[in-house]
Amino acid sequence: MDLNKFKDKNLVLSLAQAIQKKSNSFGLLRIMHVCGTHENSIMRYALRDLLPNNIKLIAGPGCPVCVTSSRDIDAIINFGIKNKSKCIIATFGDMLRVKGSQYSLFSASKAGLLNVKMVYGLDELIELARNTKKEVIFFSVGFETTAAPVASVIKNYNLPENLSFFSVHKYTPNGVLELLKAGKINIDALLLPGHACVISGVSAYEKIADNFKLPCVAAGFEPADILSAVLMIINQIEHKTSKAENEYKRVLKYEGNKLGQKTLNDVFGLTDSIWRGLGIIRKSGFDFNAKYNFLNAKAKFNIQFSNKYIEEQKGCRCAEVILGVIEPTQCPLYAKGLCTPYNPIGPCMVSDEGTCRNWWEVKGEI
Ligand code: SF4
């Protein structure tokens, strides 16, 4: 598919004009997205500059690495340190540099405290386990987009006996629902994550649209996708409706991927989960069902969790960034150039999906 047409300057400007024209008919409109890739596109194409002042695009909890609890990171690091001679901790690259209370996986490995291996994909993970006698534990991070392929591999492959998984996967719809219930996010509409909705479906957000009277629109990642979705939200507001809609029809089905959902449900169940800086969120994490619990590293090795963990590094305001309460440049550590991608203090500066990282890539130091 030729994606260039979704970047076409004339199309993008005409969408921006259509939004501008309608913007006088309402006051402040706060639209939150929950996807790091949306923030990446919004920054890269300067889409906020194309919108009228009363329409605010707010970055929400859309980066899985950013919401991974320090408690989980500490647990895997402490286990890896105690069992250095017997195990390898594997994970995807953007998880490596997120700090727990003291170390990140990268810094602990650099200090020679444990064995860490970055993998690019699940095939590489399986190969790694096949080629070693050590136990390989995959620190498995991501929203339903990543949890579904992990579940598929677990269900359909004959995995080596020395491979197990430490799941820190999160389920976006319930995360957002519970944050809304708790009054922790203050918004007028939701731009739904195109990638994650491929699995969960746009339908997973009907409850949010109904219960909170919030227009919800799933969007793709090109500039015309995002502006079209904003226009669809405005149309809902004009018609005084609030429903879950799909702008990204070329990729995702309204009801999501049924096979992916079944695979996920076969392997994992929803459990209460700690989101970094946001506390415990009901039924927002994926953990193993009984049938596959033999692959659950937490149970297999009786991994211990401490109650003495530090969610925020001193001065870090990631929790407020994740909830859309402040913009990255309002964090003093950003403003003073103390937190950068080269020396990330908080998780939002680490991953390509982190809001602070995306702002820094475009704005640099201020
Ligand atoms: Fe956290 Fe750094 Fe962002 Fe501040 S600039 S909120 S410390 S990631």
Side-chain angles (χ1 to χ4, degrees):
M1 180 178 285
D2 179 14
L3 289 178
N4 283 327
K5 63 182 179 188
F6 299 98
K7 296 182 174 84
D8 179 74
K9 186 178 165 189
N10 292 330
L11 173 62
V12 169
L13 290 178
S14 70
L15 286 164
Q17 273 167 10
I19 292 169
Q20 193 87 40
K21 239 186 195 170
K22 288 174 179 256
S23 65
N24 293 333
S25 57
F26 49 81
L28 182 63
L29 177 58
R30 292 154 303 178
I31 304 173
M32 176 173 273
H33 69 75
V34 284
C35 179
T37 315
H38 274 149
E39 186 59 24
N40 190 294
S41 292
I42 289 165
M43 289 306 288
R44 194 148 35 103
Y45 296 107
L47 297 185
R48 288 190 176 92
D49 294 347
L50 294 179
L51 294 175
N53 287 337
N54 61 333
I55 299 184
K56 302 286 179 210
L57 285 181
I58 300 166
C63 161
V65 160
C66 304
V67 297
T68 299
S69 168
S70 195
R71 178 175 177 264
D72 290 325
I73 298 171
D74 287 354
I76 192 72
I77 289 176
N78 290 337
F79 177 81
I81 291 173
K82 276 190 202 135
N83 296 279
K84 187 184 170 196
S85 60
K86 293 181 271 183
C87 81
I88 298 170
I89 311 298
T91 195
F92 293 137
D94 54 355
M95 192 64 239
L96 285 177
R97 292 175 72 215
V98 178
K99 274 187 192 149
S101 298
Q102 190 179 358
Y103 294 108
S104 64
L105 283 163
F106 177 74
S107 65
S109 160
K110 208 170 158 207
L113 299 174
L114 77 175
N115 300 309
V116 174
K117 178 87 179 141
M118 180 179 88
V119 292
Y120 288 97
L122 297 170
D123 49 348
E124 194 184 341
L125 173 70
I126 296 167
E127 267 315 290
L128 171 68
R130 286 204 173 116
N131 290 322
T132 179
K133 289 198 167 63
K134 291 184 177 174
E135 290 289 336
V136 174
I137 300 172
F138 185 55
F139 194 64
S140 199
V141 62
F143 294 127
E144 48 276 24
T145 339
T146 320
V150 169
S152 175
V153 161
I154 286 171
K155 194 175 164 185
N156 298 314
Y157 277 66
N158 192 8
L159 296 175
E161 278 182 13
N162 61 336
L163 175 60
S164 57
F165 297 77
F166 185 124
S167 169
V168 286
H169 289 296
K170 307 271 190 271
Y171 183 55
T172 322
N174 285 4
V176 177
L177 176 70
E178 294 298 326
L179 288 172
L180 281 163
K181 272 192 201 166
K184 289 189 175 174
I185 45 185
N186 179 20
I187 53 172
D188 303 302
L190 265 175
L191 196 73
L192 305 179
H195 296 326
C197 285
V198 168
I199 301 297
S200 68
V202 183
S203 50
Y205 293 86
E206 283 172 353
K207 211 175 178 181
I208 289 179
D210 282 351
N211 293 2
F212 295 91
K213 302 283 168 258
L214 279 188
C216 296
V217 178
F221 301 95
E222 302 304 331
D225 285 317
I226 294 172
L227 294 183
S228 298
V230 170
L231 206 47
M232 288 165 76
I233 286 171
I234 292 172
N235 285 336
Q236 285 198 39
I237 289 171
E238 275 185 347
H239 291 96
K240 298 193 177 6
T241 56
S242 47
K243 55 187 176 186
E245 277 190 294
N246 184 8
E247 180 280 332
Y248 201 26
K249 286 185 181 150
R250 67 181 186 278
V251 171
L252 69 92
K253 290 186 187 150
Y254 185 82
E255 68 281 7
N257 180 329
K258 294 281 181 196
L259 179 62
Q261 290 164 14
K262 182 176 178 331
T263 307
L264 254 179
N265 293 336
D266 286 347
V267 175
F268 295 120
L270 285 174
T271 181
D272 297 352
S273 173
I274 301 180
W275 294 46
R276 190 172 187 133
L278 311 184
I280 297 175
I281 301 187
R282 232 181 115 251
K283 292 196 169 179
S284 66
F286 289 106
D287 221 340
F288 282 85
N289 285 331
K291 185 176 174 192
Y292 292 97
N293 208 34
F294 65 98
L295 287 167
N296 179 0
K298 295 173 202 170
K300 184 175 175 183
F301 302 108
N302 190 22
I303 292 179
Q304 300 296 306
F305 293 83
S306 166
N307 287 325
K308 291 182 191 148
Y309 59 96
I310 301 164
E311 284 291 37
E312 304 274 26
Q313 300 297 318
K314 200 168 170 223
C316 168
R317 296 183 64 183
C318 281
E320 290 161 279
V321 170
I322 289 168
L323 290 172
V325 175
I326 64 165
E327 293 181 339
T329 45
Q330 291 173 273
C331 171
L333 297 181
Y334 186 116
K336 289 178 188 159
L338 295 172
C339 178
T340 69
Y342 310 108
N343 177 34
I345 308 287
C348 297
M349 192 57 94
V350 175
S351 163
D352 279 347
E353 299 201 59
T355 304
C356 297
R357 172 72 181 263
N358 274 307
W359 281 54
W360 200 94
E361 295 291 350
V362 173
K363 288 180 184 282
E365 289 181 41
I366 52 169

